[in-house]
Amino acid sequence: MASTDKIKTLIEEFIDSDTVKAVVGFTADSANDSATIDKIAAMFGYAGSFSNEDEQKLIESFRKNLKLLIEKTWVEKSDITLKEQILFQLENLCSNYSEWSKTLKDFLTILNDAVYLMFGQQTKSEDFGEYSLRIDPGFGIFWWYIQSLPSTAEWPVEKCRNAVLLGMYFLANY
């Protein structure tokens, strides 16, 4: 079984097939309807219509939580510069997010670097998705979502915005 099939099988132990289909549809094609967005948001614990979420408040909560998480992560001396760089990029991202296509790319870069700080070389292994599901299913599902997003998307602005805000929601409440 390929690694992605194995992850999908594991994911289905934690979330229903309709939610898996919503994520796959959202990340693979042009699906950007409110039902799909709400289904993904519900996967992260949101209980309502995600389009009503206060964007400014969400971004500020995300910034505070990720900053705290990064600051509290112990790192090797060789990773101190990366840690400082992530904190700087995080502040820029949360201050200048109006160009959502660029924000999506920057968001994914920050998350990949932050997860590397927390888990080290393990994040580079092919089985990190499975590992993350086993140690913390909520985080594993989030990581599966993040890894499903294209690093460069030719998506409409609103879809890029939704992709970022959904990821921010999880981290704002993690």
Side-chain angles (χ1 to χ4, degrees):
M1 181 184 311
S3 180
T4 54
D5 290 339
K6 192 174 186 180
I7 294 297
K8 188 176 176 205
T9 300
L10 283 171
I11 290 289
E12 290 173 344
E13 291 179 22
F14 301 101
I15 58 175
D16 63 72
S17 61
D18 287 342
T19 303
V20 171
K21 287 176 189 171
V23 172
V24 170
F26 178 75
T27 60
D29 64 30
S30 61
N32 192 39
D33 57 280
S34 61
T36 299
I37 301 305
D38 288 348
K39 183 70 102 169
I40 296 169
M43 175 179 75
F44 294 141
Y46 194 83
S49 176
F50 193 73
S51 61
N52 296 332
E53 177 65 23
D54 182 352
E55 180 179 293
Q56 199 59 31
K57 182 180 174 187
L58 174 62
I59 291 169
E60 184 58 20
S61 293
F62 160 76
R63 185 191 67 75
K64 286 178 181 176
N65 281 5
L66 189 56
K67 181 180 178 184
L68 181 63
L69 186 61
I70 292 166
E71 286 176 339
K72 297 295 180 186
T73 299
W74 181 88
V75 296
E76 297 287 338
K77 196 172 192 174
S78 60
D79 288 330
I80 290 173
T81 301
L82 177 60
K83 186 175 185 175
E84 292 169 352
Q85 176 186 331
I86 294 168
L87 290 169
F88 177 77
Q89 290 171 331
L90 177 62
E91 292 303 320
N92 279 340
L93 178 85
C94 293
S95 300
N96 306 305
Y97 58 86
S98 60
E99 189 181 327
W100 287 104
S101 297
K102 181 179 180 333
T103 299
L104 174 60
K105 183 179 180 203
D106 294 346
F107 176 71
L108 294 173
T109 298
I110 290 168
L111 290 185
N112 279 297
D113 288 345
V115 170
Y116 172 79
L117 280 184
M118 291 185 283
F119 294 97
Q121 279 301 118
Q122 178 73 23
T123 60
K124 306 285 187 211
S125 71
E126 193 173 303
D127 66 344
F128 180 70
E130 181 180 349
Y131 172 78
S132 66
L133 272 170
R134 295 200 186 280
I135 62 166
D136 181 348
F139 179 79
I141 290 166
F142 166 74
W143 192 243
W144 168 70
Y145 166 76
I146 293 299
Q147 293 301 294
S148 298
L149 295 171
S151 58
T152 55
E154 297 298 322
W155 287 345
V157 170
E158 187 65 19
K159 183 166 180 157
C160 291
R161 177 186 172 274
N162 286 331
V164 171
L165 292 178
L166 285 164
M168 284 182 169
Y169 177 79
F170 175 83
L171 288 170
N173 296 286
Y174 187 63

